[in-house]
C-alpha cells in the first residue's frame, strides 16, 4: 500500500538516468551529426542569395518544424525562400518527385520528413537542386543521396538523446546555422513554445532533454509572445495553459487543418504577426476541428463494431475512410481495447494505415517484422504509418496477431499503475507531489492508483451526449468526487468497486477541488 513518500520515490526513479536536466545542459549543436555540414550548405546558399524551399509535413510536428526554420530566415532578413507544406490529399506524405518538379529553387530543406525520400533525392540530383534532409524517423538500411542529412536515428549519429521530434532537429539545425553565420546574439530560447507543442503532439518520451524543453516551452507559451496562443486563450476563455491544455486543446487544433483540409493554414496561424490575423485563421482551424470531431466519432463507432475480442492487435479497414482521422481513431481504439491498433483507409489498390501503440510496446518493430506484407512503412515506437495492397490486409492482420501471440497487453497497458493507495493519502499534498514530476506523457505516464472497495454513493450521466459519468465514492469514511470519461461500464449505487484513477484538479466558479479521474473499473 502506497503512502506519499513512496509515491515521490517511485516517480523520482523515472528520471534517475536523465543526463540533461536543465537548458544549460542540453547537447551542443556540433554533437548532432550532420548538422554542421548541413548548416554550411545552407549558409552558402544564403550568401549567394539562392532560392530556398522548406518542405515540411502536414502534422503538428511538421508545421512547427517549418515555422521554426521560416522564422529564422525571416529574422535574419532572408527573403528568397518559400515554405511548402504538402497537402495530405493532393501531395501525399513528405518530399516526392512531383513536389521537386514544382519547386523552382536551388536548395530544398526537408523538416520532419525525407529520410526515405529516395526518388525525390534522385530527382533533385537530375535537376541540379541541392538537398538537405532533416528528419527524426527511423531510416532504412540505405539512405537517400542528399547533400546534407541530419537524423539522430541514423546509425552513425552519436547524438546524446535520440528520441526527439522533427522540430527539435530543425531547432538544432538553426543552432548550427547561428554558429555558421556568426549570429552571436540570436535567441534560440524563443522557439521553446513550438518545441513543446511538437514534442507533445508527436508523443515523444517526456524524459531527459524533452522534459526540460517542454517545461521551458510551457512557460514560453504562457508568455503569449506569439499571437496564436493569445487567440486560443481568448477563444477558450483561459488565462494560461497547463500541460493538459497543450495536449488536449492546442495540438488537436493545430493538427486539424492538415487532417481535414490543408496544414498551410496552421503554419500561417503559428506565424501570425498580430492578434487579428491569428483570430481569423483560428476560426478556419476551429471549423476544421469541428468537422474532424464528427468524422472521428462516425469512424470510431464503425470500427468498434468490427473489433474481435480475440485479436491481440486491432486491425480494421474500409473503403474511402477519411485519411485525416484514421490516426486519431487508432489512438482511441488502442486506449479502449488496451492493445495496439491499426486503421487502414482503402483507395483503389492502395491501403494507407495509421498505427498506435500502448504502454512501452514498440509498434514500429512489430510492423517491421511483417514488412513482407507492406509496400512501405515508417514512424517511431509509439506511432507509425504504413501502406499495403488491400489484398494483403487479411494476411497482414494474421501475421501481426501471430507475432504478438505471447504478449500480455493487459500487463503492458497497466505499466503506469503505481499501486494501491490509502484513501487518507489522497489529498492536496499528494496532488502537489504529482504536479512536481510533470509533464506527463510517453515514458513518464501520469501515475495511476488503485482504490479498493469504494462505495458508490451517487452516479450521474454528464455531457451533452451522456458519454461521461460523475460519481461520488466513499472509502475509509472519506468521500471523493470522481469523473469517468467515455465510460465502459456504469456501476450501480450502493455497490463497492475497485477503481484505477489518476488525480486531478477541478476548477468551478473560482473554486478548486480534487477529483478522481477514473481510468478503469475493475
Amino acid at each position: 500500500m502506497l503512502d506519499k513518500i513512496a509515491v515521490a520515490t517511485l516517480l523520482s526513479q523515472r528520471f534517475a538516468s536523465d543526463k540533461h536536466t536543465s537548458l544549460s545542459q542540453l547537447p551542443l549543436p556540433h554533437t548532432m551529426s550532420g548538422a554542421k555540414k548541413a548548416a554550411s550548405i545552407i549558409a552558402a546558399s544564403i550568401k549567394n542569395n539562392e532560392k530556398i524551399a522548406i518542405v515540411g509535413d502536414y502534422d503538428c510536428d511538421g508545421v512547427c518544424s517549418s515555422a521554426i526554420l521560416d522564422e529564422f530566415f525571416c529574422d535574419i532578413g532572408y527573403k528568397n525562400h518559400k515554405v511548402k507544406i504538402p497537402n495530405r490529399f493532393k501531395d501525399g506524405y513528405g518530399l516526392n518527385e512531383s513536389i521537386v518538379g514544382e519547386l523552382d529553387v536551388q536548395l530544398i530543406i526537408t523538416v520532419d520528413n525525407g529520410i526515405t525520400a529516395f526518388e525525390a533525392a534522385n530527382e533533385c540530383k537530375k535537376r541540379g537542386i541541392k538537398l538537405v534532409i532533416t528528419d527524426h524517423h527511423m531510416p532504412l538500411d540505405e539512405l537517400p543521396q542528399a547533400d546534407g542529412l541530419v537524423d539522430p536515428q541514423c546509425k552513425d549519429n552519436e547524438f546524446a538523446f535520440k528520441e526527439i521530434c522533427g522540430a527539435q532537429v530543425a531547432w538544432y539545425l538553426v543552432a548550427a546555422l547561428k554558429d555558421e553565420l556568426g549570429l552571436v546574439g540570436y535567441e534560440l530560447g524563443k522557439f521553446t513554445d513550438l518545441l513543446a507543442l511538437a514534442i507533445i503532439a508527436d508523443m515523444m518520451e517526456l524524459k531527459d532533454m524533452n522534459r526540460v524543453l517542454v517545461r521551458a516551452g510551457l512557460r514560453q507559451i504562457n508568455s503569449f509572445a506569439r499571437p496564436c496562443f493569445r487567440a486560443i486563450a481568448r477563444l477558450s476563455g483561459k488565462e494560461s495553459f497547463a500541460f493538459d491544455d497543450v495536449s488536449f486543446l492546442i495540438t488537436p487544433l493545430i493538427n486539424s487543418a492538415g487532417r481535414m483540409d490543408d496544414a498551410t493554414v496552421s503554419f500561417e496561424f503559428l506565424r501570425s504577426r498580430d492578434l487579428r490575423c491569428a483570430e481569423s485563421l483560428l476560426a478556419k482551424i476551429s471549423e476544421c476541428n469541428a468537422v474532424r470531431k464528427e468524422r472521428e466519432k462516425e469512424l470510431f463507432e464503425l470500427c468498434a463494431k468490427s473489433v474481435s475480442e480475440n485479436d491481440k492487435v486491432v486491425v480494421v479497414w474500409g473503403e474511402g475512410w477519411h485519411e485525416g482521422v484514421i490516426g486519431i481513431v487508432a489512438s482511441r481504439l488502442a486506449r479502449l481495447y488496451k492493445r495496439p491498433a491499426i486503421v487502414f483507409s482503402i483507395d483503389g489498390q492502395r491501403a494507407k494505415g495509421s498505427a498506435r501503440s500502448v504502454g512501452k510496446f514498440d509498434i514500429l518493430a512489430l510492423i517491421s517484422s511483417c514488412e513482407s506484407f507492406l509496400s512501405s512503412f515508417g514512424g517511431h515506437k509509439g506511432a507509425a504509418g504504413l501502406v499495403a495492397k488491400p489484398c494483403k490486409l487479411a494476411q497482414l492482420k494474421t501475421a501481426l496477431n501471430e507475432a504478438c501471440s505471447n504478449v500480455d497487453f493487459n500487463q503492458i497497458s497497466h505499466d503506469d499503475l503505481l499501486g494501491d493507495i490509502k484513501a487518507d493519502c489522497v489529498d492536496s499534498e499528494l496532488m502537489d507531489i504529482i504536479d512536481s514530476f510533470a509533464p506527463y506523457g510517453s515514458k513518464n505516464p501520469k501515475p495511476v492508483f488503485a482504490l479498493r472497495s469504494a462505495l458508490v454513493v451517487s452516479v450521474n450521466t454528464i455531457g451533452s451526449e451522456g458519454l461521461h459519468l460523475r460519481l461520488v465514492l466513499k472509502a475509509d469514511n472519506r468521500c471523493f468526487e470522481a469523473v469517468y470519461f467515455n465510460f465502459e461500464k456504469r456501476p450501480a449505487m450502493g455497490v463497492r468497486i475497485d477503481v484505477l484513477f489518476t488525480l486531478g484538479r477541478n476548477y468551478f466558479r473560482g473554486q478548486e477541488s480534487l477529483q478522481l479521474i477514473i481510468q478503469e473499473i475493475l
Side-chain angles (χ1 to χ4, degrees):
M1 190 75 72
L2 296 173
D3 58 20
K4 294 171 193 173
I5 294 174
V7 170
T9 301
L10 287 170
L11 292 178
S12 65
Q13 287 172 354
R14 293 178 176 181
F15 312 106
S17 61
D18 283 8
K19 295 179 180 178
H20 312 99
T21 58
S22 67
L23 289 172
S24 63
Q25 293 177 335
L26 294 185
L28 296 173
H30 72 268
T31 65
M32 175 78 78
S33 299
K36 182 173 177 56
K37 180 181 178 182
S40 66
I41 293 168
I42 297 168
S45 288
I46 290 171
K47 289 170 183 174
N48 293 328
N49 197 35
E50 294 178 348
K51 293 179 182 178
I52 300 174
I54 301 162
V55 179
D57 184 23
Y58 42 64
D59 69 358
C60 185
D61 186 17
V63 171
C64 289
S65 304
S66 303
I68 288 170
L69 202 51
D70 174 67
E71 185 168 328
F72 172 76
F73 281 139
C74 291
D75 285 346
I76 65 173
Y78 195 74
K79 299 179 180 179
N80 204 8
H81 77 283
K82 65 176 76 172
V83 175
K84 167 69 177 179
I85 309 244
N87 182 288
R88 180 192 295 268
F89 309 103
K90 297 175 184 175
D91 300 312
Y93 169 77
L95 183 67
N96 55 45
E97 293 169 281
S98 177
I99 290 175
V100 172
E102 76 177 56
L103 294 173
D104 178 23
V105 296
Q106 282 79 53
L107 170 65
I108 293 175
I109 308 167
T110 73
V111 288
D112 191 34
N113 75 95
I115 199 64
T116 57
F118 296 98
E119 293 82 4
N122 292 337
E123 187 66 20
C124 285
K125 289 288 184 189
K126 265 191 228 176
R127 294 173 178 266
I129 299 171
K130 287 172 287 186
L131 175 63
V132 170
I133 291 173
T134 75
D135 203 345
H136 73 117
H137 296 102
M138 288 296 294
L140 302 177
D141 291 336
E142 293 184 26
L143 297 173
Q145 293 299 305
D147 298 276
L149 195 151
V150 191
D151 187 335
Q153 298 292 351
C154 288
K155 292 177 183 176
D156 63 347
N157 197 319
E158 297 180 356
F159 191 67
F161 190 74
K162 290 183 176 291
E163 297 300 322
I164 64 176
C165 66
Q168 288 167 281
V169 180
W171 186 58
Y172 265 87
L173 176 64
V174 167
L177 276 167
K178 171 187 174 180
D179 292 345
E180 188 72 24
L181 296 171
L183 305 173
V184 179
Y186 190 77
E187 179 53 56
L188 292 167
K190 68 171 184 165
F191 293 115
T192 55
D193 50 3
L194 298 181
L195 293 175
L197 202 56
I199 291 167
I200 293 167
D202 232 40
M203 298 182 291
M204 293 291 102
E205 296 179 1
L206 290 182
K207 297 179 67 176
D208 209 276
M209 65 177 285
N210 289 350
R211 175 176 164 84
V212 172
L213 286 169
V214 168
R215 283 184 155 185
L218 193 57
R219 292 192 295 270
Q220 184 70 4
I221 287 171
N222 285 320
S223 74
F224 296 111
R226 295 184 192 277
C228 60
F229 296 122
R230 174 66 69 187
I232 297 175
R234 290 182 62 167
L235 179 68
S236 60
K238 292 185 176 292
E239 294 182 2
S240 63
F241 296 112
F243 173 82
D244 283 350
D245 295 321
V246 179
S247 185
F248 298 113
L249 170 63
I250 302 178
T251 61
L253 279 169
I254 302 302
N255 267 324
S256 65
R259 292 187 187 281
M260 309 310 298
D261 188 7
D262 195 311
T264 302
V265 179
S266 289
F267 167 78
E268 292 172 349
F269 174 63
L270 292 180
R271 294 286 290 117
S272 297
R273 301 299 177 87
D274 58 70
L275 185 59
R276 180 177 294 181
C277 176
E279 289 182 329
S280 174
L281 290 166
L282 182 56
K284 295 179 183 178
I285 292 171
S286 297
E287 288 178 16
C288 289
N289 200 36
V291 175
R292 187 269 303 172
K293 289 179 180 178
E294 290 177 16
R295 298 288 183 272
E296 175 196 334
K297 181 176 181 293
E298 293 167 359
L299 184 55
F300 174 75
E301 291 173 352
L302 181 62
C303 289
K305 292 177 183 176
S306 62
V307 174
S308 169
E309 291 292 337
N310 297 322
D311 288 339
K312 282 295 189 81
V313 181
V314 174
V315 185
V316 292
W317 59 83
E319 189 80 39
W321 286 358
H322 199 295
E323 289 186 11
V325 298
I326 58 175
I328 309 174
V329 171
S331 292
R332 288 188 61 182
L333 290 170
R335 285 198 303 271
L336 176 60
Y337 294 103
K338 299 175 179 62
R339 65 191 93 158
I342 307 175
V343 181
F344 285 95
S345 174
I346 298 174
D347 182 8
Q349 294 304 306
R350 181 175 180 268
K352 182 178 180 182
S354 192
R356 296 294 184 271
S357 189
V358 292
K360 299 175 183 176
F361 185 77
D362 189 338
I363 191 70
L364 188 61
L366 172 63
I367 291 169
S368 179
S369 72
C370 300
E371 65 177 317
S372 61
F373 301 101
L374 301 171
S375 303
S376 62
F377 67 93
H380 45 79
K381 294 177 181 178
L386 57 167
V387 177
K389 292 180 179 179
C391 63
K392 296 279 190 180
L393 293 178
Q395 294 171 278
L396 173 64
K397 179 177 179 178
T398 299
L400 290 166
N401 276 277
E402 287 178 353
C404 295
S405 59
N406 295 320
V407 180
D408 184 354
F409 284 114
N410 286 324
Q411 185 65 39
I412 289 174
S413 66
H414 288 161
D415 276 349
D416 50 359
L417 176 60
L418 239 58
D420 291 12
I421 194 161
K422 299 175 182 178
D424 61 7
C425 286
V426 182
D427 56 18
S428 58
E429 185 180 10
L430 177 63
M431 188 74 252
D432 289 341
I433 291 170
I434 293 169
D435 284 345
S436 70
F437 291 98
Y440 291 102
S442 176
K443 294 297 178 71
N444 182 34
K446 196 165 188 178
V448 174
F449 304 100
L451 185 64
R452 305 291 179 179
S453 194
L455 179 68
V456 180
V457 177
S458 69
V459 53
N460 294 289
T461 303
I462 58 173
S464 58
E465 298 180 8
L467 299 177
H468 319 301
L469 295 178
R470 185 181 302 281
L471 306 93
V472 174
L473 303 177
K474 187 175 183 180
D476 295 339
N477 294 316
R478 289 191 59 198
C479 286
F480 300 95
E481 290 186 4
V483 290
Y484 190 5
F485 296 110
N486 298 305
F487 66 94
E488 297 173 33
K489 59 175 88 169
R490 177 175 180 144
M493 285 177 57
V495 303
R496 290 192 176 273
I497 58 175
D498 296 339
V499 297
L500 301 183
F501 72 94
T502 61
L503 192 60
R505 300 181 193 272
N506 182 42
Y507 299 92
F508 183 68
R509 293 179 179 174
Q511 298 295 313
E512 177 187 314
S513 61
L514 295 182
Q515 64 180 7
L516 313 187
I517 304 168
I518 296 175
Q519 307 298 301
E520 188 177 347
I521 296 177
L522 301 175

